[in-house]
Amino acid sequence: MDSGIKIAKATKDCADDIARFNINMAWETENRELPKEKITAGARRLFDLPKYGSYFVALNQGKPIGGLMNTYEYNAPLNKLIYWIQSVYVEPDFRKKG
């Protein structure tokens, strides 16, 4: 069955949604209010620095409903690059639906 939800690599056009997801996540998990301008600037900046990571978004009928950020870290003892998945957020109406 097709849920209608698609996953896509985010583009810079998604930066405002990604910032909103980050702001909502901080509020929901830490009861912490983040400054919109700073968070939006940070979300936009990663698109200019792809060697540090990227964003993916979940889309429902073309509208972003969630996202995540991946980053990289070099692990010297393992002598390899580690791929981290972080900043995962899904809009409340779309949670626990697979």
Side-chain angles (χ1 to χ4, degrees):
M1 178 193 278
D2 183 10
S3 68
I5 295 175
K6 307 293 181 203
I7 306 299
K9 189 165 185 179
T11 64
K12 207 167 195 173
D13 292 339
C14 298
D16 289 342
D17 291 303
I18 291 165
R20 180 173 47 84
F21 297 154
N22 290 336
I23 290 167
N24 290 348
M25 181 175 23
W27 182 254
E28 290 179 25
T29 61
E30 302 173 40
N31 202 33
R32 183 174 171 207
E33 191 170 340
L34 298 178
K36 183 179 178 182
E37 296 77 23
K38 185 173 185 175
I39 301 306
T40 302
R44 290 183 183 286
R45 181 75 170 125
L46 187 60
F47 289 102
D48 298 329
L49 302 167
K51 71 179 182 180
Y52 294 113
S54 58
Y55 296 108
F56 289 85
V57 289
L59 304 165
N60 182 51
Q61 299 178 357
K63 179 185 176 215
I65 57 158
L68 64 80
M69 177 176 67
N70 75 283
T71 58
Y72 308 98
E73 173 190 339
Y74 177 70
N75 183 298
L78 297 177
N79 190 27
K80 67 180 184 177
L81 199 59
I82 305 294
Y83 184 90
W84 289 98
I85 295 173
Q86 55 193 30
S87 300
V88 178
Y89 183 82
V90 176
E91 293 283 2
D93 289 346
F94 292 91
R95 294 178 188 169
K96 298 183 181 184
K97 295 188 178 184

Coordinates of all heavy atoms in Angstrom, one line a residue:
M1 N 0.9 -1.2 0.0 CA 0.0 0.0 0.0 C 0.9 1.2 0.0 O 1.8 1.3 0.8 CB -0.9 0.0 1.2 CG -1.8 1.2 1.3 SD -2.6 1.5 2.9 CE -4.0 0.4 2.7
D2 N 0.6 2.2 -0.8 CA 1.3 3.4 -0.9 C 0.8 4.4 0.1 O -0.4 4.8 0.1 CB 1.2 4.0 -2.3 CG 2.0 5.3 -2.5 OD1 2.8 5.6 -1.6 OD2 1.9 5.9 -3.6
S3 N 1.6 4.8 1.0 CA 1.2 5.8 2.1 C 1.1 7.2 1.6 O 0.5 8.1 2.2 CB 2.2 5.7 3.2 OG 3.4 6.3 2.8
G4 N 1.7 7.4 0.4 CA 1.7 8.8 -0.1 C 2.8 9.6 0.4 O 3.0 10.8 0.0
I5 N 3.6 9.1 1.3 CA 4.7 9.8 1.9 C 6.0 9.4 1.1 O 6.3 8.2 0.9 CB 4.9 9.5 3.4 CG1 3.7 10.0 4.1 CG2 6.2 10.1 3.9 CD1 3.6 9.7 5.6
K6 N 6.7 10.4 0.7 CA 8.0 10.2 -0.1 C 9.1 10.8 0.7 O 9.0 11.8 1.4 CB 7.9 10.9 -1.5 CG 6.7 10.5 -2.3 CD 6.7 9.0 -2.7 CE 5.5 8.7 -3.6 NZ 5.2 7.3 -3.6
I7 N 10.3 10.2 0.5 CA 11.5 10.7 1.2 C 12.4 11.3 0.1 O 12.6 10.6 -1.0 CB 12.3 9.6 1.9 CG1 11.4 8.9 2.9 CG2 13.5 10.1 2.6 CD1 10.8 9.7 4.0
A8 N 12.9 12.4 0.3 CA 13.8 13.1 -0.7 C 14.9 13.8 -0.1 O 14.8 14.3 1.1 CB 12.9 14.1 -1.6
K9 N 16.0 13.9 -0.8 CA 17.1 14.8 -0.3 C 16.6 16.2 -0.4 O 16.0 16.6 -1.4 CB 18.3 14.6 -1.2 CG 19.5 15.3 -0.6 CD 20.8 14.8 -1.2 CE 22.0 15.5 -0.5 NZ 23.3 15.1 -1.0
A10 N 16.8 16.9 0.7 CA 16.3 18.3 0.8 C 17.1 19.2 -0.1 O 18.3 19.0 -0.3 CB 16.3 18.8 2.3
T11 N 16.4 20.3 -0.5 CA 17.1 21.3 -1.3 C 17.0 22.6 -0.4 O 16.3 22.6 0.6 CB 16.4 21.6 -2.6 OG1 15.0 22.1 -2.3 CG2 16.3 20.4 -3.5
K12 N 17.7 23.6 -0.8 CA 17.8 24.8 0.0 C 16.4 25.4 0.2 O 16.1 26.1 1.1 CB 18.7 25.8 -0.6 CG 19.3 26.8 0.4 CD 20.5 27.6 -0.2 CE 21.3 28.3 0.8 NZ 22.5 28.9 0.4
D13 N 15.5 25.1 -0.8 CA 14.1 25.6 -0.7 C 13.4 25.0 0.6 O 12.4 25.6 1.0 CB 13.3 25.2 -1.9 CG 13.7 26.0 -3.2 OD1 14.4 27.0 -3.0 OD2 13.4 25.5 -4.3
C14 N 13.9 24.0 1.1 CA 13.3 23.3 2.3 C 13.9 23.9 3.6 O 13.4 23.5 4.7 CB 13.6 21.8 2.3 SG 12.9 20.9 0.9
A15 N 14.8 24.9 3.5 CA 15.5 25.4 4.8 C 14.5 25.9 5.8 O 14.7 25.7 7.0 CB 16.5 26.4 4.4
D16 N 13.5 26.6 5.4 CA 12.5 27.2 6.3 C 11.8 26.1 7.1 O 11.5 26.2 8.3 CB 11.5 28.1 5.6 CG 12.2 29.4 5.2 OD1 13.3 29.8 5.7 OD2 11.6 30.1 4.4
D17 N 11.4 25.0 6.3 CA 10.7 23.9 7.0 C 11.6 23.2 7.9 O 11.3 22.8 9.0 CB 10.2 22.9 5.9 CG 9.0 23.5 5.1 OD1 8.0 23.9 5.7 OD2 9.2 23.6 3.9
I18 N 12.9 23.0 7.5 CA 13.9 22.3 8.4 C 14.1 23.1 9.6 O 14.1 22.6 10.7 CB 15.2 22.1 7.6 CG1 15.0 21.0 6.5 CG2 16.3 21.7 8.5 CD1 16.0 21.0 5.5
A19 N 14.2 24.4 9.5 CA 14.3 25.3 10.7 C 13.1 25.1 11.6 O 13.2 25.0 12.8 CB 14.5 26.7 10.3
R20 N 11.9 25.1 11.0 CA 10.7 25.0 11.8 C 10.7 23.6 12.5 O 10.4 23.5 13.7 CB 9.5 25.1 10.9 CG 8.1 24.9 11.6 CD 7.0 25.2 10.7 NE 7.1 24.6 9.4 CZ 6.7 23.3 9.1 NH1 6.2 22.6 10.1 NH2 6.8 22.8 7.9
F21 N 11.1 22.6 11.9 CA 11.2 21.3 12.5 C 12.2 21.3 13.7 O 11.9 20.8 14.8 CB 11.7 20.2 11.5 CG 10.8 19.9 10.4 CD1 11.3 19.4 9.2 CD2 9.4 20.2 10.4 CE1 10.5 19.2 8.1 CE2 8.6 20.0 9.3 CZ 9.1 19.4 8.2
N22 N 13.3 22.0 13.5 CA 14.3 22.1 14.6 C 13.8 22.9 15.8 O 14.0 22.5 16.9 CB 15.6 22.7 14.1 CG 16.4 21.7 13.2 OD1 16.2 20.5 13.2 ND2 17.2 22.3 12.3
I23 N 13.1 23.9 15.5 CA 12.5 24.8 16.5 C 11.4 24.0 17.3 O 11.4 24.0 18.5 CB 11.9 26.1 15.9 CG1 13.1 27.0 15.5 CG2 11.0 26.8 16.9 CD1 12.7 28.1 14.6
N24 N 10.6 23.3 16.6 CA 9.5 22.5 17.2 C 10.1 21.4 18.0 O 9.6 21.1 19.1 CB 8.6 21.9 16.1 CG 7.7 23.0 15.5 OD1 7.7 24.1 15.9 ND2 7.1 22.6 14.4
M25 N 11.2 20.7 17.5 CA 11.8 19.6 18.2 C 12.4 20.1 19.5 O 12.2 19.4 20.6 CB 12.9 19.0 17.4 CG 13.6 17.8 18.0 SD 14.8 16.9 17.0 CE 15.2 18.1 15.8
A26 N 13.1 21.2 19.5 CA 13.7 21.8 20.8 C 12.6 22.1 21.8 O 12.7 21.9 23.0 CB 14.5 23.0 20.5
W27 N 11.5 22.6 21.3 CA 10.4 22.9 22.2 C 9.7 21.7 22.8 O 9.5 21.6 24.0 CB 9.3 23.8 21.5 CG 8.2 24.2 22.4 CD1 6.9 23.7 22.5 CD2 8.3 25.1 23.5 NE1 6.2 24.2 23.5 CE2 7.0 25.1 24.1 CE3 9.3 25.9 24.0 CZ2 6.7 25.9 25.2 CZ3 9.0 26.8 25.1 CH2 7.8 26.7 25.7
E28 N 9.5 20.7 22.0 CA 8.8 19.5 22.4 C 9.7 18.6 23.3 O 9.2 18.0 24.2 CB 8.4 18.6 21.2 CG 7.3 19.2 20.4 CD 6.9 18.4 19.2 OE1 7.2 17.1 19.2 OE2 6.4 18.9 18.2
T29 N 11.0 18.6 23.1 CA 11.9 17.7 23.8 C 12.6 18.4 25.0 O 12.9 17.7 26.0 CB 13.0 17.1 22.9 OG1 13.8 18.2 22.3 CG2 12.4 16.3 21.8
E30 N 12.8 19.7 24.9 CA 13.5 20.4 26.0 C 12.8 21.6 26.5 O 13.3 22.3 27.4 CB 14.9 20.8 25.5 CG 15.7 19.7 24.9 CD 17.0 20.3 24.2 OE1 17.6 21.2 24.8 OE2 17.4 19.7 23.2
N31 N 11.6 21.8 26.0 CA 10.8 23.0 26.4 C 11.7 24.3 26.2 O 11.7 25.2 27.1 CB 10.3 22.9 27.9 CG 9.2 23.8 28.1 OD1 8.4 24.1 27.2 ND2 9.0 24.3 29.3
R32 N 12.5 24.3 25.2 CA 13.4 25.3 24.9 C 13.0 26.1 23.6 O 12.8 25.5 22.6 CB 14.8 24.7 24.7 CG 15.9 25.6 24.5 CD 17.2 24.9 24.4 NE 18.3 25.8 24.0 CZ 19.4 25.4 23.4 NH1 19.6 24.1 23.2 NH2 20.3 26.3 23.1
E33 N 13.0 27.4 23.7 CA 12.6 28.2 22.6 C 13.9 28.7 21.9 O 14.8 29.3 22.5 CB 11.8 29.4 23.0 CG 11.2 30.2 21.9 CD 10.2 31.2 22.4 OE1 9.7 31.2 23.5 OE2 9.9 32.1 21.6
L34 N 14.0 28.3 20.6 CA 15.1 28.7 19.8 C 14.8 29.9 18.9 O 13.7 30.1 18.4 CB 15.6 27.5 18.9 CG 16.0 26.2 19.6 CD1 16.3 25.2 18.6 CD2 17.2 26.5 20.6
P35 N 15.8 30.8 18.7 CA 15.6 31.9 17.8 C 15.5 31.6 16.4 O 16.4 31.0 15.8 CB 16.9 32.8 18.1 CG 17.9 31.8 18.5 CD 17.2 30.7 19.2
K36 N 14.3 31.9 15.8 CA 14.0 31.5 14.4 C 15.1 31.9 13.4 O 15.5 31.2 12.5 CB 12.7 32.1 14.0 CG 12.3 31.7 12.6 CD 10.9 32.2 12.3 CE 10.5 31.8 10.8 NZ 9.2 32.3 10.4
E37 N 15.6 33.2 13.5 CA 16.5 33.7 12.5 C 17.8 32.9 12.6 O 18.4 32.6 11.5 CB 16.8 35.2 12.8 CG 15.6 36.1 12.6 CD 14.6 36.1 13.7 OE1 15.0 35.7 14.9 OE2 13.5 36.4 13.5
K38 N 18.3 32.6 13.8 CA 19.6 31.9 13.9 C 19.4 30.4 13.4 O 20.3 29.9 12.8 CB 20.0 31.9 15.4 CG 21.4 31.3 15.6 CD 21.8 31.5 17.0 CE 23.2 30.9 17.2 NZ 23.7 31.2 18.6
I39 N 18.3 29.8 13.8 CA 18.1 28.4 13.4 C 17.9 28.3 11.9 O 18.5 27.4 11.2 CB 16.9 27.8 14.1 CG1 17.2 27.9 15.6 CG2 16.6 26.4 13.6 CD1 18.4 27.2 16.1
T40 N 17.2 29.3 11.3 CA 17.0 29.3 9.8 C 18.4 29.5 9.1 O 18.7 28.8 8.1 CB 16.0 30.3 9.4 OG1 14.8 30.1 10.1 CG2 15.8 30.3 7.9
A41 N 19.2 30.4 9.6 CA 20.5 30.6 9.0 C 21.4 29.4 9.1 O 22.1 29.0 8.1 CB 21.2 31.8 9.7
G42 N 21.3 28.7 10.2 CA 22.1 27.5 10.4 C 21.6 26.4 9.4 O 22.4 25.6 8.9
A43 N 20.3 26.2 9.3 CA 19.7 25.3 8.3 C 20.2 25.6 6.9 O 20.6 24.7 6.2 CB 18.2 25.2 8.4
R44 N 20.2 26.8 6.5 CA 20.6 27.2 5.2 C 22.1 27.0 5.0 O 22.5 26.6 3.9 CB 20.3 28.7 4.9 CG 18.8 29.0 4.8 CD 18.6 30.4 4.4 NE 17.2 30.7 4.4 CZ 16.4 30.3 3.4 NH1 16.9 29.7 2.3 NH2 15.1 30.6 3.4
R45 N 22.9 27.2 6.0 CA 24.3 27.1 5.9 C 24.8 25.7 5.5 O 25.7 25.5 4.7 CB 25.0 27.5 7.2 CG 26.5 27.5 7.2 CD 27.0 28.7 6.4 NE 28.5 28.7 6.6 CZ 29.4 28.7 5.6 NH1 29.0 28.7 4.4 NH2 30.6 28.7 5.9
L46 N 24.2 24.6 6.0 CA 24.6 23.3 5.7 C 24.5 23.0 4.2 O 25.3 22.2 3.7 CB 23.8 22.2 6.5 CG 24.3 20.8 6.4 CD1 25.8 20.7 6.9 CD2 23.4 19.9 7.2
F47 N 23.6 23.6 3.5 CA 23.5 23.4 2.1 C 24.7 23.9 1.3 O 25.1 23.4 0.3 CB 22.2 24.0 1.5 CG 21.0 23.4 1.9 CD1 20.2 23.9 2.9 CD2 20.6 22.2 1.3 CE1 19.0 23.2 3.3 CE2 19.4 21.5 1.6 CZ 18.6 22.1 2.6
D48 N 25.4 24.9 1.9 CA 26.7 25.4 1.4 C 27.9 24.6 1.8 O 29.0 24.8 1.3 CB 26.9 26.8 1.8 CG 25.7 27.8 1.3 OD1 25.2 27.5 0.2 OD2 25.4 28.7 2.0
L49 N 27.7 23.6 2.7 CA 28.8 22.8 3.2 C 28.5 21.3 3.1 O 28.5 20.6 4.1 CB 29.1 23.2 4.7 CG 29.4 24.7 4.9 CD1 29.4 25.0 6.4 CD2 30.8 25.0 4.4
P50 N 28.2 20.8 1.9 CA 27.8 19.4 1.8 C 28.8 18.4 2.4 O 28.3 17.3 2.7 CB 27.5 19.2 0.3 CG 28.3 20.3 -0.3 CD 28.4 21.4 0.6
K51 N 30.0 18.7 2.5 CA 31.0 17.7 3.0 C 30.7 17.4 4.5 O 31.2 16.4 5.0 CB 32.4 18.1 2.8 CG 32.9 19.3 3.6 CD 34.3 19.6 3.3 CE 34.8 20.8 4.2 NZ 36.2 21.1 3.9
Y52 N 30.0 18.3 5.1 CA 29.7 18.1 6.6 C 28.3 17.4 6.8 O 28.1 17.0 7.9 CB 29.6 19.5 7.3 CG 31.0 20.1 7.3 CD1 31.2 21.3 6.7 CD2 32.0 19.5 8.0 CE1 32.5 21.9 6.7 CE2 33.3 20.1 8.1 CZ 33.5 21.3 7.4 OH 34.7 21.9 7.4
G53 N 27.5 17.3 5.8 CA 26.2 16.7 6.0 C 25.2 17.1 5.0 O 25.4 17.9 4.1
S54 N 24.0 16.6 5.2 CA 22.8 17.0 4.4 C 21.5 16.7 5.1 O 21.5 16.2 6.2 CB 22.9 16.2 3.1 OG 22.8 14.8 3.3
Y55 N 20.5 17.2 4.5 CA 19.1 17.0 5.0 C 18.3 16.1 4.1 O 18.5 16.1 2.9 CB 18.4 18.3 5.1 CG 19.0 19.3 6.1 CD1 19.6 20.5 5.6 CD2 18.9 19.2 7.5 CE1 20.1 21.4 6.5 CE2 19.4 20.1 8.3 CZ 20.0 21.2 7.8 OH 20.5 22.2 8.7
F56 N 17.4 15.4 4.7 CA 16.3 14.7 4.0 C 15.0 15.1 4.5 O 14.9 15.4 5.7 CB 16.5 13.2 4.1 CG 17.7 12.7 3.4 CD1 19.0 12.7 4.0 CD2 17.6 12.2 2.1 CE1 20.1 12.3 3.3 CE2 18.8 11.7 1.4 CZ 20.0 11.8 2.0
V57 N 14.0 15.1 3.7 CA 12.7 15.5 4.1 C 11.7 14.4 3.7 O 11.9 13.7 2.7 CB 12.2 16.8 3.5 CG1 12.9 18.0 4.2 CG2 12.3 16.8 2.0
A58 N 10.7 14.2 4.6 CA 9.5 13.4 4.3 C 8.4 14.3 3.7 O 8.2 15.4 4.3 CB 9.0 12.7 5.5
L59 N 7.9 13.9 2.6 CA 6.9 14.7 1.9 C 5.5 14.0 1.8 O 5.5 12.8 1.5 CB 7.3 15.1 0.5 CG 8.7 15.7 0.3 CD1 9.2 15.7 -1.1 CD2 8.6 17.2 0.8
N60 N 4.5 14.7 2.1 CA 3.1 14.2 1.9 C 2.4 15.1 1.0 O 2.3 16.3 1.3 CB 2.4 14.2 3.3 CG 1.0 13.6 3.1 OD1 0.8 12.5 2.6 ND2 0.0 14.3 3.7
Q61 N 2.1 14.6 -0.2 CA 1.5 15.4 -1.2 C 2.4 16.6 -1.6 O 1.9 17.7 -1.8 CB 0.1 15.8 -0.9 CG -0.8 14.6 -0.7 CD -2.2 15.0 -0.3 OE1 -2.6 16.2 -0.1 NE2 -3.1 14.0 -0.2
G62 N 3.7 16.4 -1.5 CA 4.6 17.5 -1.9 C 5.0 18.4 -0.7 O 5.8 19.3 -0.9
K63 N 4.3 18.3 0.4 CA 4.5 19.2 1.5 C 5.4 18.5 2.6 O 5.2 17.4 3.0 CB 3.2 19.6 2.2 CG 3.4 20.5 3.4 CD 2.0 20.7 4.0 CE 2.3 21.6 5.3 NZ 1.4 21.2 6.4
P64 N 6.5 19.2 3.0 CA 7.4 18.7 4.0 C 6.7 18.4 5.3 O 6.0 19.4 5.9 CB 8.5 19.7 4.2 CG 8.5 20.5 2.9 CD 7.1 20.5 2.5
I65 N 6.7 17.2 5.8 CA 6.1 16.9 7.1 C 7.1 16.3 8.1 O 6.7 16.1 9.3 CB 5.0 15.8 6.9 CG1 5.5 14.6 6.2 CG2 3.8 16.4 6.1 CD1 4.7 13.3 6.5
G66 N 8.3 16.2 7.7 CA 9.3 15.8 8.6 C 10.7 15.8 8.0 O 10.8 16.0 6.8
G67 N 11.7 15.6 8.8 CA 13.0 15.7 8.2 C 14.1 15.1 9.2 O 13.8 14.8 10.3
L68 N 15.3 15.0 8.6 CA 16.4 14.7 9.4 C 17.7 15.2 8.8 O 17.7 15.6 7.7 CB 16.5 13.1 9.6 CG 16.8 12.3 8.4 CD1 18.3 12.3 7.9 CD2 16.4 10.9 8.7
M69 N 18.7 15.3 9.6 CA 20.0 15.7 9.2 C 21.0 14.6 9.3 O 20.9 13.8 10.3 CB 20.5 16.9 10.0 CG 21.9 17.4 9.6 SD 22.4 18.9 10.5 CE 22.5 18.3 12.2
N70 N 21.9 14.4 8.4 CA 23.0 13.5 8.6 C 24.3 14.3 8.6 O 24.4 15.3 8.0 CB 23.0 12.4 7.5 CG 23.5 12.9 6.2 OD1 22.8 13.6 5.4 ND2 24.7 12.6 5.8
T71 N 25.2 13.8 9.4 CA 26.5 14.4 9.5 C 27.6 13.3 9.5 O 27.2 12.1 9.6 CB 26.7 15.3 10.7 OG1 26.5 14.5 11.9 CG2 25.8 16.5 10.7
Y72 N 28.8 13.7 9.3 CA 29.9 12.7 9.3 C 30.9 13.0 10.4 O 31.1 14.2 10.7 CB 30.6 12.8 7.9 CG 29.7 12.7 6.7 CD1 29.2 13.9 6.1 CD2 29.2 11.5 6.3 CE1 28.3 13.8 5.0 CE2 28.3 11.4 5.2 CZ 27.9 12.6 4.6 OH 27.0 12.5 3.6
E73 N 31.5 12.0 10.9 CA 32.5 12.2 11.9 C 33.6 11.1 11.6 O 33.3 9.9 11.4 CB 32.0 11.9 13.3 CG 33.0 11.9 14.4 CD 32.4 11.4 15.7 OE1 31.2 11.4 15.9 OE2 33.2 11.0 16.5
Y74 N 34.9 11.6 11.6 CA 36.0 10.7 11.4 C 36.3 10.0 12.8 O 36.5 10.7 13.8 CB 37.2 11.3 10.9 CG 38.4 10.4 10.8 CD1 38.3 9.4 9.8 CD2 39.4 10.4 11.7 CE1 39.4 8.5 9.7 CE2 40.5 9.5 11.6 CZ 40.4 8.5 10.6 OH 41.4 7.6 10.5
N75 N 36.3 8.7 12.8 CA 36.6 7.9 14.0 C 38.0 7.4 13.8 O 38.2 6.4 13.1 CB 35.6 6.8 14.2 CG 35.8 6.1 15.5 OD1 36.8 5.4 15.6 ND2 34.8 6.1 16.3
A76 N 39.0 7.9 14.5 CA 40.4 7.5 14.4 C 40.6 6.0 14.8 O 41.3 5.3 14.1 CB 41.3 8.4 15.2
P77 N 40.1 5.6 16.0 CA 40.3 4.2 16.4 C 39.8 3.2 15.3 O 40.4 2.2 15.1 CB 39.6 4.0 17.7 CG 39.5 5.4 18.3 CD 39.4 6.3 17.1
L78 N 38.7 3.5 14.7 CA 38.1 2.6 13.7 C 38.7 2.9 12.3 O 38.5 2.2 11.3 CB 36.6 2.7 13.6 CG 35.9 2.3 14.9 CD1 34.4 2.5 14.8 CD2 36.2 0.8 15.2
N79 N 39.4 4.1 12.1 CA 39.9 4.5 10.9 C 38.9 4.6 9.8 O 39.0 4.1 8.7 CB 41.1 3.6 10.4 CG 41.8 4.2 9.2 OD1 41.8 5.4 9.0 ND2 42.4 3.4 8.5
K80 N 37.7 5.2 10.1 CA 36.7 5.3 9.1 C 35.8 6.5 9.5 O 35.7 7.0 10.6 CB 35.9 4.0 9.0 CG 35.1 3.6 10.1 CD 34.3 2.3 9.8 CE 33.4 1.9 10.9 NZ 32.7 0.7 10.6
L81 N 35.0 6.8 8.5 CA 34.0 7.9 8.6 C 32.7 7.3 9.1 O 32.2 6.3 8.6 CB 33.8 8.6 7.2 CG 33.2 9.9 7.2 CD1 34.0 11.0 7.9 CD2 33.1 10.4 5.7
I82 N 32.2 7.9 10.1 CA 30.9 7.5 10.7 C 29.8 8.4 10.2 O 29.9 9.6 10.2 CB 30.9 7.5 12.2 CG1 32.1 6.7 12.8 CG2 29.6 7.1 12.8 CD1 32.0 5.3 12.6
Y83 N 28.7 7.8 9.8 CA 27.5 8.5 9.2 C 26.5 8.6 10.4 O 26.0 7.6 10.9 CB 27.0 7.7 8.1 CG 25.8 8.3 7.3 CD1 26.0 9.1 6.2 CD2 24.5 8.0 7.7 CE1 25.0 9.6 5.5 CE2 23.4 8.5 7.0 CZ 23.7 9.3 5.9 OH 22.6 9.8 5.2
W84 N 26.2 9.8 10.8 CA 25.3 10.0 11.9 C 24.0 10.5 11.4 O 23.9 11.4 10.5 CB 25.8 11.1 12.9 CG 27.0 10.7 13.7 CD1 28.3 10.9 13.5 CD2 26.9 9.9 14.9 NE1 29.1 10.3 14.4 CE2 28.3 9.7 15.3 CE3 25.9 9.3 15.6 CZ2 28.6 9.0 16.5 CZ3 26.2 8.6 16.8 CH2 27.5 8.4 17.2
I85 N 22.9 10.0 11.9 CA 21.5 10.5 11.6 C 21.1 11.2 12.9 O 21.1 10.6 14.0 CB 20.6 9.3 11.3 CG1 21.0 8.7 10.0 CG2 19.1 9.8 11.2 CD1 20.2 7.4 9.6
Q86 N 20.7 12.5 12.7 CA 20.3 13.3 13.9 C 19.2 14.3 13.5 O 18.8 14.4 12.3 CB 21.5 14.0 14.5 CG 22.3 14.8 13.5 CD 23.6 15.2 14.1 OE1 24.2 14.5 14.9 NE2 24.1 16.3 13.7
S87 N 18.7 15.0 14.5 CA 17.7 16.0 14.3 C 16.5 15.5 13.5 O 16.0 16.1 12.6 CB 18.3 17.2 13.6 OG 19.4 17.8 14.3
V88 N 16.0 14.3 14.0 CA 14.9 13.7 13.3 C 13.6 14.3 13.9 O 13.4 14.4 15.1 CB 14.8 12.1 13.6 CG1 13.6 11.5 12.9 CG2 16.1 11.5 13.0
Y89 N 12.7 14.7 13.0 CA 11.5 15.3 13.4 C 10.4 15.0 12.4 O 10.6 15.0 11.2 CB 11.6 16.9 13.5 CG 10.3 17.5 14.0 CD1 10.0 17.6 15.4 CD2 9.3 18.0 13.2 CE1 8.9 18.1 15.9 CE2 8.2 18.5 13.6 CZ 7.9 18.6 15.0 OH 6.8 19.1 15.5
V90 N 9.2 14.6 13.0 CA 8.0 14.4 12.2 C 6.8 15.2 12.8 O 6.7 15.2 14.0 CB 7.6 12.9 12.2 CG1 6.4 12.6 11.4 CG2 8.8 12.0 11.6
E91 N 6.1 15.8 11.9 CA 4.9 16.6 12.4 C 4.0 15.7 13.2 O 3.8 14.5 12.8 CB 4.1 17.2 11.2 CG 4.9 18.2 10.4 CD 4.9 19.6 11.1 OE1 4.4 19.7 12.3 OE2 5.4 20.5 10.5
P92 N 3.4 16.1 14.3 CA 2.6 15.3 15.2 C 1.5 14.5 14.5 O 1.3 13.3 14.8 CB 2.0 16.3 16.2 CG 3.1 17.4 16.3 CD 3.6 17.5 14.9
D93 N 0.8 15.1 13.5 CA -0.3 14.4 12.8 C 0.2 13.2 12.0 O -0.6 12.4 11.6 CB -1.0 15.4 11.9 CG -1.8 16.4 12.6 OD1 -2.0 16.2 13.9 OD2 -2.3 17.4 12.0
F94 N 1.5 13.1 11.7 CA 2.0 12.0 10.9 C 2.9 11.0 11.7 O 3.4 10.1 11.1 CB 2.8 12.6 9.7 CG 2.0 13.4 8.8 CD1 1.8 14.8 8.9 CD2 1.4 12.7 7.7 CE1 1.0 15.5 8.1 CE2 0.6 13.4 6.8 CZ 0.4 14.8 7.0
R95 N 2.9 11.1 13.0 CA 3.7 10.2 13.8 C 3.0 8.9 14.0 O 1.7 8.8 13.9 CB 4.0 10.8 15.1 CG 4.9 12.0 15.0 CD 5.1 12.7 16.4 NE 5.9 13.9 16.2 CZ 6.0 14.8 17.1 NH1 5.6 14.6 18.3 NH2 6.7 15.9 16.8
K96 N 3.8 7.8 14.2 CA 3.3 6.5 14.5 C 2.4 5.9 13.4 O 1.4 5.2 13.6 CB 2.6 6.4 15.8 CG 3.5 6.8 17.0 CD 2.8 6.7 18.3 CE 3.8 7.1 19.4 NZ 3.2 6.9 20.7
K97 N 2.7 6.3 12.1 CA 1.9 5.8 11.0 C 2.7 5.0 10.0 O 2.3 4.7 8.9 CB 1.2 7.0 10.3 CG 0.2 7.7 11.2 CD -0.6 8.7 10.5 CE -1.6 9.3 11.4 NZ -2.5 10.2 10.8
G98 N 3.9 4.6 10.5 CA 4.8 3.8 9.6 C 5.7 4.6 8.7 O 5.8 5.7 8.7

